[in-house]
Amino acid sequence: MKQLLYLFLYYIGVYKFIRFINRNRITIISYHAPSVRVFREHIKYLHKHYVFMSMDDLYEILQSNRHPIKYGLVVTFDDGHKSNVDLLPIFKEYKIRPVIYCCSQVVASMHPFWWKMVDKNVVKEYKNMPNVDRLYYLKEKGFYTPNMTISNAQALSRQDIDILKEYVTFGAHTRFHPILTQCSQEEQKNEIVNSKYELEKLCGTPINHFAYPNGNYNDYSVKYVREAGYATARTTDVGWNDTNSNMYTLKVLGISDDANLTKLRFQISGLSMWIQYLLRGSLKGVKQSV
């Protein structure tokens, strides 16, 4: 049924119309861990319809109030998953400089991503908890502690980072990926400020860009990101970016890691995320509670 809806919307021109009216605004798309096959298929399609640019390019354009590149597109990845390194040949081939937002205490370690240690059906429940309660229940049930290790790395290794850093811009995604809006002010500051410091030490390059875990942020989150010295911060609010955008609440279009081309067209139109948020009660496509 969904495939029929996607095809209907595509053939009546919705995709092309939305792309056209946003031609002078910059699109940011986000992935997590797409396969080489899926990502190559996506990039081959996007290459025909967009101009790839880096997050640094976006920052310079918006900061200087210059007219954005027509159909400009920034590619981003959240978390720093191990499989991201396998996409390097595609980055090189299409001259893409993506942002990989890393959790500084998970990459270059055998530490797991906490949500991968629990049943996916209860992840939302844990995200809804105050951070102190989340950590308590995860530890009590033996699922996760901040100092635990596993035998198979889930995140990029130090060697992976060294291989990628010539072709990728690394950004911060906190230290352990808590939900910032469920954290105390002190916890938020620690996660935001220290992830920058730790990644700069690891990567040997400035870390100028940040993404809010799960897309959840509040005024304190924005305050600490700004004070830490980041140039930009990306949300999961739906939309496009131009000279009127707030550098610390940049909008995005989420792309499913396993999307076929029909679904990709639907998601990059913005309709997919907007409908999801509308069903949750957000008419503007802004991230609400978890």
Side-chain angles (χ1 to χ4, degrees):
M1 188 65 183
K2 285 185 177 179
Q3 292 294 325
L4 291 175
L5 175 61
Y6 300 157
L7 286 169
F8 173 73
L9 290 170
Y10 178 66
Y11 286 116
I12 64 172
V14 170
Y15 296 101
K16 292 180 180 179
F17 175 71
I18 293 176
R19 178 174 167 272
F20 175 76
I21 62 174
N22 289 292
R23 66 193 181 280
N24 292 319
R25 305 168 83 188
I26 297 171
T27 304
I28 302 175
I29 60 174
S30 66
Y31 291 93
H32 290 86
S35 68
V36 171
R37 180 190 63 79
V38 169
F39 188 67
R40 180 176 290 282
E41 186 177 40
H42 287 192
I43 294 302
K44 185 178 179 180
Y45 171 81
L46 294 170
H47 177 66
K48 297 175 183 177
H49 301 281
Y50 293 88
V51 177
F52 295 124
M53 56 191 295
S54 70
M55 188 63 78
D56 289 333
D57 293 334
L58 178 151
Y59 173 72
E60 289 174 9
I61 288 171
L62 300 192
Q63 184 190 47
S64 61
N65 206 33
R66 300 201 330 257
H67 200 278
I69 298 170
K70 277 191 176 182
Y71 300 113
L73 179 74
V74 180
V75 180
T76 70
F77 297 84
D78 285 3
D79 309 325
H81 293 272
K82 178 70 175 174
S83 63
N84 290 167
V85 72
D86 299 330
L87 307 178
L88 179 56
I90 305 173
F91 300 159
K92 291 180 178 179
E93 180 181 350
Y94 287 92
K95 297 180 172 58
I96 305 165
R97 189 173 185 89
V99 183
I100 300 181
Y101 296 108
C102 297
C103 298
S104 62
Q105 285 295 309
V106 184
V107 295
S109 78
M110 300 305 291
H111 190 77
F113 293 113
W114 70 264
W115 63 91
K116 290 190 173 185
M117 306 306 291
V118 300
D119 188 295
K120 63 180 181 180
N121 295 319
V122 299
V123 170
K124 185 176 180 180
E125 177 185 343
Y126 282 105
K127 287 180 178 180
N128 273 314
M129 294 180 182
N131 194 51
V132 64
D133 292 342
R134 177 183 65 88
L135 291 173
Y136 172 80
Y137 286 117
L138 287 170
K139 180 179 179 180
E140 182 184 51
K141 294 179 182 296
F143 293 147
Y144 171 94
T145 61
N147 61 354
M148 77 182 296
T149 59
I150 53 177
S151 57
N152 293 315
Q154 296 177 350
L156 294 168
S157 67
R158 183 181 296 270
Q159 183 180 15
D160 294 332
I161 289 170
D162 287 341
I163 291 169
L164 284 168
K165 65 183 181 183
E166 183 179 346
Y167 306 96
V168 162
T169 298
F170 286 107
H173 202 43
T174 70
R175 304 179 75 216
F176 295 101
H177 203 288
I179 305 304
L180 290 174
T181 51
Q182 301 291 2
C183 292
S184 67
Q185 291 182 44
E186 183 179 350
E187 287 173 322
Q188 285 207 53
K189 187 172 184 178
N190 172 51
E191 289 282 342
I192 292 168
V193 174
N194 286 321
S195 61
K196 186 178 196 297
Y197 168 77
E198 290 165 356
L199 286 170
E200 287 180 339
K201 186 176 180 181
L202 173 64
C203 301
T205 58
I207 301 297
N208 295 321
H209 308 290
F210 185 86
Y212 303 103
N214 205 57
N216 295 86
Y217 65 95
N218 56 25
D219 290 343
Y220 291 113
S221 314
V222 175
K223 175 178 183 287
Y224 295 134
V225 167
R226 189 189 300 271
E227 290 178 353
Y230 293 101
T232 72
R234 201 216 70 209
T235 68
T236 58
D237 296 345
V238 185
W240 294 261
N241 304 279
D242 57 25
T243 52
N244 294 314
S245 297
N246 184 325
M247 292 287 195
Y248 297 105
T249 55
L250 294 176
K251 295 181 178 181
V252 74
L253 302 177
I255 307 298
S256 300
D257 288 343
D258 60 352
N260 60 28
L261 287 183
T262 302
K263 188 173 183 179
L264 171 66
R265 294 184 190 105
F266 186 49
Q267 291 184 328
I268 205 165
S269 74
L271 287 171
S272 178
M273 281 182 72
W274 181 77
I275 290 171
Q276 291 177 46
Y277 282 5
L278 179 63
L279 294 174
R280 297 173 192 168
S282 175
L283 182 62
K284 294 182 179 180
V286 174
K287 190 66 177 277
Q288 302 291 298
S289 58
V290 182

